[in-house]
Amino acid sequence: MFLQRFYDDQLAQASYLLGCAATGEALVIDPSRDVAQYAETAKREGLRVTHVTETHIHADFVSGARELAAATGAQLLLSAEGGAEWRYAYAAEDGVTLLRDGDVFRVGNVRIEVMHTPGHTPEHLCFVVTDTAAADRPMGVFTGDFVFVGAVGRPDLLERAVQQQGTMEKGARQLFASLRRFKAALPDWVQLWPGHGAGSACGKSLGAVPSTTLGYEALFNRGLAETDEEAFVADVLAGQPEPPMYFAQMKRMNREGPRVMGALPRPPRRADAELADVLRAGAPVVDARPAPEFARRHVPGTLSVPLGKSFTTWAGSVLPYDRDFYLLAPAGADDARMAAVARDLAMIGLDRAAGWFAASAIDAALASGDAGQVPDVQPDELEAVLAGGAELVDVRNSSEYAAGHLGGAANLPLGRLAERLDELPRDRPLVVHCQAGGRASVAASLLASRGFTDVRHLAGDYAGWSQAGRPVETGEPVPA
């Protein structure tokens, strides 16, 4: 049996290619939209992709299952569990094979048993793998967003991200029951191959180790070890990271069926002189330079989303899905670099990158206008600035805020800021901060682009403030 893990650092997302060397058949589990990597790897290993599946309707990235099946002619197998509202809308059109609890299918000599594990989502499946050429008992499980290294899947996303009220406690209780069943049904030695690693918003405290065993997790994973249902429910719902705003869009897109692209986008470089015209036409422009560079000088109306590990998450919080957008590159970027950036955005459905501009376009766009700036407020100045009527805005997650925050700060997490702008005053200065500056830059640019005329940044952010021994408070967020 052949097994390879593919890992997307931007999304902290894992997908897998499993193959049978004897027959040349291969299965891909939870593919991303970058489907060429699976077909190329299969070919290199003397395999062909014959089956494609996924553990559930994802919220954090666009599924590549439909794309990969179309590209390879593979059989597409998807969950039929969870009730009518969780069925894949495109299943009949695409000739999908529907899977239910207890179903078995084969990829050559590899036996795959389907286990319905609701909780994270109602339709969630796990895939139990037995290599029948060598054994008669299972060797591992593709657990998707059900069990991670050191954590279990969060059951609150349908309520907190998709606004399906009253679902998170029900999901937590389903998750508890699924975990108990899972633990009882399988031997301790089975390997667990999860769908995410550290940094994913699909759970809290996820480990960075790529795989684990059921026996190890039963001992040290609190979600699996907890035997009291009420304690489990309280613990699994507490302290979950704020879901990015684009999660609701991903759920809808993946259920209805992502469009088949055929190839990843490669936006062309645009002439420097076009940047001003693009902005006048109202098209969004993402300035991907580092946050300090944006703060010192930028083209008014552009959105700051610094390139880095959280780039796609932040971009999904500020970019629209129904319009073309443009990228403003950091110094030294070339076509290949910006194609990679466009690829990362396409992974979360932002596939309408119409072009990119070099950093030199800033000079051309500012030839007849003033540069935008995000002025710093020094910590020693903050008290006086607030006394003068300014509003202090903390754009970190609510769990970060509860663990420690500046007194009087309103908490509007970046992932939901765009939909909560009405909570902020437009006739007073806003002083924005986060943990270390990245999210604050995105927030400041979003606020300026939406008509807030006096947006400032707290120098050093929360990290600098607290490390200097300045006073902080704990507790739940206060309304803006």
mmCIF file of all heavy atoms in Angstrom, residues 97 104 135 164 204 309 345:
data_model
loop_
_atom_site.group_PDB
_atom_site.id
_atom_site.type_symbol
_atom_site.label_atom_id
_atom_site.label_comp_id
_atom_site.label_asym_id
_atom_site.label_seq_id
_atom_site.Cartn_x
_atom_site.Cartn_y
_atom_site.Cartn_z
ATOM 1 N N THR A 97 -21.317 8.431 -6.071
ATOM 2 C CA THR A 97 -21.659 7.272 -5.251
ATOM 3 C C THR A 97 -21.821 7.741 -3.810
ATOM 4 O O THR A 97 -20.893 8.314 -3.235
ATOM 5 C CB THR A 97 -20.563 6.194 -5.319
ATOM 6 O OG1 THR A 97 -20.439 5.737 -6.672
ATOM 7 C CG2 THR A 97 -20.897 5.025 -4.413
ATOM 8 N N VAL A 104 -18.680 -0.366 2.589
ATOM 9 C CA VAL A 104 -17.299 -0.774 2.311
ATOM 10 C C VAL A 104 -17.037 -0.611 0.818
ATOM 11 O O VAL A 104 -17.874 -0.960 -0.012
ATOM 12 C CB VAL A 104 -17.052 -2.236 2.726
ATOM 13 C CG1 VAL A 104 -15.653 -2.687 2.294
ATOM 14 C CG2 VAL A 104 -17.211 -2.409 4.244
ATOM 15 N N ALA A 135 -2.785 -7.862 5.810
ATOM 16 C CA ALA A 135 -3.399 -7.963 7.137
ATOM 17 C C ALA A 135 -4.902 -8.160 7.015
ATOM 18 O O ALA A 135 -5.505 -7.889 5.974
ATOM 19 C CB ALA A 135 -3.095 -6.697 7.938
ATOM 20 N N GLN A 164 -26.578 28.907 12.062
ATOM 21 C CA GLN A 164 -27.646 27.949 12.317
ATOM 22 C C GLN A 164 -27.818 27.818 13.827
ATOM 23 O O GLN A 164 -27.136 27.029 14.489
ATOM 24 C CB GLN A 164 -27.319 26.599 11.671
ATOM 25 C CG GLN A 164 -27.308 26.660 10.165
ATOM 26 C CD GLN A 164 -27.636 25.322 9.545
ATOM 27 O OE1 GLN A 164 -27.762 24.313 10.225
ATOM 28 N NE2 GLN A 164 -27.774 25.305 8.237
ATOM 29 N N LYS A 204 -9.305 23.650 18.448
ATOM 30 C CA LYS A 204 -8.405 24.413 19.308
ATOM 31 C C LYS A 204 -7.273 23.510 19.789
ATOM 32 O O LYS A 204 -7.464 22.315 20.013
ATOM 33 C CB LYS A 204 -9.152 25.016 20.499
ATOM 34 C CG LYS A 204 -9.859 23.999 21.392
ATOM 35 C CD LYS A 204 -10.571 24.663 22.560
ATOM 36 C CE LYS A 204 -11.304 23.633 23.411
ATOM 37 N NZ LYS A 204 -11.981 24.222 24.569
ATOM 38 N N LYS A 309 1.749 33.493 6.854
ATOM 39 C CA LYS A 309 1.039 32.235 7.081
ATOM 40 C C LYS A 309 -0.471 32.422 7.166
ATOM 41 O O LYS A 309 -1.242 31.513 6.829
ATOM 42 C CB LYS A 309 1.563 31.570 8.355
ATOM 43 C CG LYS A 309 1.126 30.119 8.495
ATOM 44 C CD LYS A 309 1.879 29.409 9.588
ATOM 45 C CE LYS A 309 1.490 27.919 9.634
ATOM 46 N NZ LYS A 309 2.206 27.183 10.697
ATOM 47 N N LEU A 345 -5.234 32.000 -2.773
ATOM 48 C CA LEU A 345 -6.560 32.606 -2.667
ATOM 49 C C LEU A 345 -7.624 31.719 -3.298
ATOM 50 O O LEU A 345 -8.742 31.607 -2.788
ATOM 51 C CB LEU A 345 -6.554 33.986 -3.316
ATOM 52 C CG LEU A 345 -5.717 35.046 -2.602
ATOM 53 C CD1 LEU A 345 -5.656 36.326 -3.416
ATOM 54 C CD2 LEU A 345 -6.273 35.329 -1.211
#
